[in-house]
Structures are given as structure tokens and as C-alpha cells.
Amino acid sequence: KAGVTQTPRYLIKTRGQQVTLSCSPISGHRSVSWYQQTPGQGLQFLFEYFSETQRNKGNFPGRFSGRQFSNSRSEMNVSTLELGDSALYLCASSSLQGKGYTFGSGTRLTVV
Amino acid sequence: QQQVKQSPQSLIVQKGGISIINCAYENTAFDYFPWYQQFPGKGPALLIAIRPDVSEKKEGRFTISFNKSAKQFSLHIMDSQPGDSATYFCAASKDRAGSYQLTFGKGTKLSVIP
């Protein structure tokens, strides 16, 4: 069974640009969540999508947005990038059976 | 602010020893407490999780102890091995039919020396 796939693995962007990250969940998982991981703040919840609807949202500015498609694949977008957005962005998927998340390996975003 | 406080920040244990990592939470609505293991360059991997209706859960060498009244839980790694060297995160969430919004601790970097 394939795991959670995130693309690309690495990205370098310039301050002020926008970026889109992609996540393919485990087959059959309909819930997809996104987390930001930085050395200073640790792992922080961004948002969760289920059946194409945002179900939960963390405490991040509106520059961070996401969406989910009918095949459960998800994308997150960050507009007007700031240096502080440099982080590892992790996608996680889960089923409805209470067995927790499976995380992908993440996308390492560097803003210069 | 819903927080999960994790200690210690780093831990060095001899091979064969017991590694113990502690976490404390504030929000009494949390009802799902997982532990994750993360190796460099990888995403966190679920190790073991507990719900507040039990005080202890064991899976292989990994045990979670849970103290609901103290709002604390801990991870014990028995017979620690060099391959266990990784960063460990505790987390807490409400569990609503597979919907989670995990609040993570800051992590513990474990080094197991031969």
C-alpha cells in the first residue's frame, strides 16, 4: 500500500512569490491535514480537509490556504511568501477508523 | 493557548537502558494521545497512541503511561537500541471520527549510545 506522497520534496522561492504544494493521501483515506514544522515553533497544525471541505483550521494568516479534490488529493498554497515561511510542510492522511495519521516525508520550502 | 509540554529536550541513553519522555497537557477535552517518531529527512511516524480510558498501553518495547488526574503521559522505551535514536514527539487531540487537530510537544532528541 503506497504511503502519503508529497511533491515536490524541495523548493526554493523568493520572498513575495507564491507556492503550491501537493499531497496524495493513502488510497481510501479521505481526510488530509497539513502541518508546518520549524525548529523554533515545532509542528503546528495548518488545516484539515475532508470530502473537499475544510473541517478545521489552525492559527495561520490568510496567506495560507488549501483545497481538496474529489479524489482526496490536496494542495496547499502560500501567497506573498515571507522568510519566516521557510519550513518543512507535512501532509498527513487518515481514515475514519480512529487509527491516527500517516505523514508524508514533507516538502522542504526555503524562502530567500 | 492549548499546549503540550514535553521534556526533556534531549536524552542520551546507553544501549539496553530505558528511555523515558514526559508530556503534560492542559486541555481536558483532549481524548487522543499519540507518540510519533521522526528520523532526519522523514515525516513523523505513529508509534503508539492511548485514550484516557486506560492508564497504560504497551506495544513491543514501547509503553505509554497515562495519568488523567495529573494531565500527564509518558513514553517508556525498554531495551533502547541505537536504531531508536530519533526525535520523539508527543501530541494530543480531540478524536472526532478520525478527525484530528494535533497539538504537538516540542520534541525530544533521543541518542542511544552503544
Side-chain angles (χ1 to χ4, degrees), chain B residues 11-101:
Chain B
L11 182 61
I12 300 174
V13 172
Q14 205 88 33
K15 178 183 174 182
I18 302 173
S19 304
I20 301 174
I21 305 170
N22 300 299
C23 284
Y25 64 98
E26 298 176 356
N27 187 346
T28 55
F30 288 149
D31 56 7
Y32 174 69
F33 302 89
W35 285 89
Y36 284 85
Q37 178 190 56
Q38 186 175 29
F39 293 104
K42 298 291 186 182
L46 178 64
L47 259 182
I48 186 172
I50 198 168
R51 290 181 167 79
D53 51 342
V54 297
S55 60
E56 187 174 280
K57 184 175 180 180
K58 184 176 180 179
E59 288 184 3
R61 296 185 295 110
F62 301 94
T63 299
I64 299 179
S65 297
F66 186 82
N67 186 329
K68 188 174 180 178
S69 60
K71 293 188 285 184
Q72 294 175 346
F73 58 111
S74 60
L75 176 69
H76 296 231
I77 305 175
M78 313 300 286
D79 187 27
S80 299
Q81 299 296 312
D84 297 330
S85 298
T87 301
Y88 292 80
F89 295 93
C90 63
S93 174
K94 302 174 194 176
D95 180 358
R96 298 295 176 261
S99 173
Y100 311 98
Q101 183 173 332

Side-chain angles (χ1 to χ4, degrees), chain A residues 9 35 37 40-43 45 48 55-57 88 90 94-96 98-101 103-105, chain B residues 1 32 36 38 41-46 51 89 95-106:
Chain A
R9 287 298 310 276
Y35 285 79
Q37 186 174 25
Q41 298 300 315
L43 283 147
F45 173 78
E48 179 198 10
R55 192 153 63 170
N56 287 306
K57 189 177 192 307
L88 180 66
L90 292 159
S94 64
S95 68
L96 295 178
K99 294 189 186 301
Y101 282 146
F103 280 90
S105 292
Chain B
Q1 179 82 17
Y32 174 69
Y36 284 85
Q38 186 175 29
K42 298 291 186 182
L46 178 64
R51 290 181 167 79
F89 295 93
D95 180 358
R96 298 295 176 261
S99 173
Y100 311 98
Q101 183 173 332
L102 292 175
T103 300
F104 280 90
K106 294 290 190 185

